[in-house]
Structure formats: C-alpha cells, structure tokens
Amino acid sequence: GSANTHNFNVVGTAPTFNGTNFSMEFDGATTGMTTPNHSEINLTLVDQRNITVAFKSSGDISSRQVLYEEGGNVRGMNVYIYNGQIYCGFYNTVSGDGDGVQNFTWVNAPISTNTVYFVTWVFDYTNYTSPSGPDGDLTCYMNGSSIGSVPTTSRLFGHSGAVGLGRINSQSCFEDGSCPSNGSFFLGNIFEVMLFNNAPDATDVDNVHTYLSNKWN
C-alpha cells in the first residue's frame, strides 16, 4: 500500500540469484543487503508492525545468523537463527522515550536443517493508553502456527541504523545481551520479505503462510 519504493541494496557482497528456486543465496560470510532509513520503516513511533521472512535453512543452524534486523543497540526488532532455533526479538530500552522500557524479549522454537520456513513476527500495541496502562503483545508464527507470545511494556520508537537482511547492518541486540555492530551472516536462501505497519491476527498470518507455501514450496 506504500506510494514509496524501498529498494534493497548490497552490503558487503551480493547474494547469488538461484534460477532453480528463484531465491537469493546468502553465503554465511560476506553477503548482505539493506534498505535506507525511512519513516515508513524505522524512523517513526509505531504501535503495530509485522515482519515476514520466507527462507530455507542450510546445514548450519548452530551459528547466529540474522535473517532480518532493524534498529541498533537500544531499540529494534529482529529475526535470526541460533543454536538450532529461530528467534523473534524485540527491544526498546530508552527510559527517556516517555514510555515503558522493554528490555530485549523474544520467542524461539526449534528448526531443522535444509528446510523451508515462513516466519512472521507480529508487534501489536494498539491498546496503548499510557506507560502505566496495559501491555502490548508480540507473537511469532512459523509455518502457519504460533510458536509463542510475550508481552511488551513499550511501543517501538524511531530507530535509525537502516535494515539488515542476511546480516547485521549497523547494530542489533540478541538474547544473550550482546549488541554487535556487524557479522551474524545468514547461510541459506531467502525467497521473500514482507514488511507491514499493521498487526494481522492468526487467521491472516495463516493465509499469508499458505500463499507463501504455494508460491515457494
């Protein structure tokens, strides 16, 4: 629904286009992409957002590998692989935002090697009233089903640093408290990425995952 075009550009070296399954192959070492900062993506306060990534894992699902990240060392969202798990992460840790502080929180679930997955990370704080009001909700879905939910005490405020696809672009935080400024290269295939500033329900997510499965499986 955007009137703007958000092109993804190469960071490091370019992923290779796979003409057999029509995906972008990331090499786990130097490949990555980014899209510039924009008010529609990361520069404004939002109370709802969802990120969907359609990808295929490789034989390595142990090392930390970023599929998608936005933000830096104090605010952001990400989807990544680590220790045989998919992680959906969220954080907004600046007390000066005039909102509740949310330290890094996440949902995770096991994944397998060399397997196609569709993951959607939904942030919904449309019920926000004040810092002392009700919590918002974060739910991660994989292949049509919820893998878990966690509350959030903060909305997501504007966060520069652009977006990283297949790697950390500027900085991103993880479940162990680290916030590295580079690395975490993805090894595998990315088919499609969807970004929306809304919060779909479980039925809508299932419809999207069915569409993606029909398209890419």
Side-chain angles (χ1 to χ4, degrees):
S2 172
N4 298 292
T5 299
H6 301 287
N7 291 313
F8 274 77
N9 310 305
V10 172
V11 178
T13 60
T16 302
F17 178 69
N18 184 320
T20 301
N21 64 15
F22 307 105
S23 68
M24 300 300 289
E25 293 185 347
F26 291 74
D27 67 5
T30 61
T31 50
M33 303 186 79
T34 186
T35 190
N37 295 318
H38 196 279
S39 59
E40 289 182 341
I41 297 176
N42 63 326
L43 294 182
T44 55
L45 168 66
V46 295
D47 59 12
Q48 55 184 333
R49 184 152 175 76
N50 81 79
I51 300 160
T52 295
V53 184
F55 71 97
K56 182 178 181 180
S57 61
S58 69
D60 175 17
I61 54 173
S62 296
S63 58
R64 195 185 306 279
Q65 302 169 49
V66 166
L67 288 158
Y68 175 92
E69 64 88 5
E70 61 179 70
N73 67 335
V74 294
R75 309 180 188 94
M77 296 182 72
N78 51 31
V79 178
Y80 61 95
I81 294 167
Y82 184 55
N83 274 347
Q85 306 269 321
I86 190 76
Y87 281 82
C88 295
F90 177 93
Y91 53 105
N92 195 98
T93 62
V94 182
S95 58
D97 282 341
D99 202 349
V101 170
Q102 179 59 62
N103 293 322
F104 188 90
T105 187
W106 69 91
V107 173
N108 63 293
I111 60 171
S112 301
T113 58
N114 303 305
T115 303
V116 174
Y117 289 101
F118 313 110
V119 173
T120 297
W121 189 208
V122 178
F123 163 58
D124 185 2
Y125 209 154
T126 51
N127 64 328
Y128 179 83
T129 56
S130 70
S132 60
D135 292 340
D137 178 80
L138 292 152
T139 303
C140 189
Y141 299 85
M142 184 165 65
N143 292 0
S145 299
S146 169
I147 60 172
S149 299
V150 289
T152 174
T153 57
S154 178
R155 295 168 294 174
L156 183 60
F157 282 69
H159 45 284
S160 60
V163 165
L165 187 68
R167 60 170 290 169
I168 297 172
N169 178 59
S170 178
Q171 199 165 23
S172 193
C173 296
F174 301 113
E175 85 296 331
D176 62 356
S178 66
C179 298
S181 58
N182 54 55
S184 297
F185 292 93
F186 171 60
L187 177 62
N189 305 71
I190 294 180
F191 299 97
E192 190 163 347
V193 178
M194 298 177 173
L195 308 175
F196 294 99
N197 288 322
N198 62 18
D201 61 20
T203 299
D204 290 333
V205 173
D206 183 60
N207 288 337
V208 170
H209 288 192
T210 298
Y211 157 77
L212 291 171
S213 181
N214 290 336
K215 187 176 182 180
W216 298 116
N217 261 327

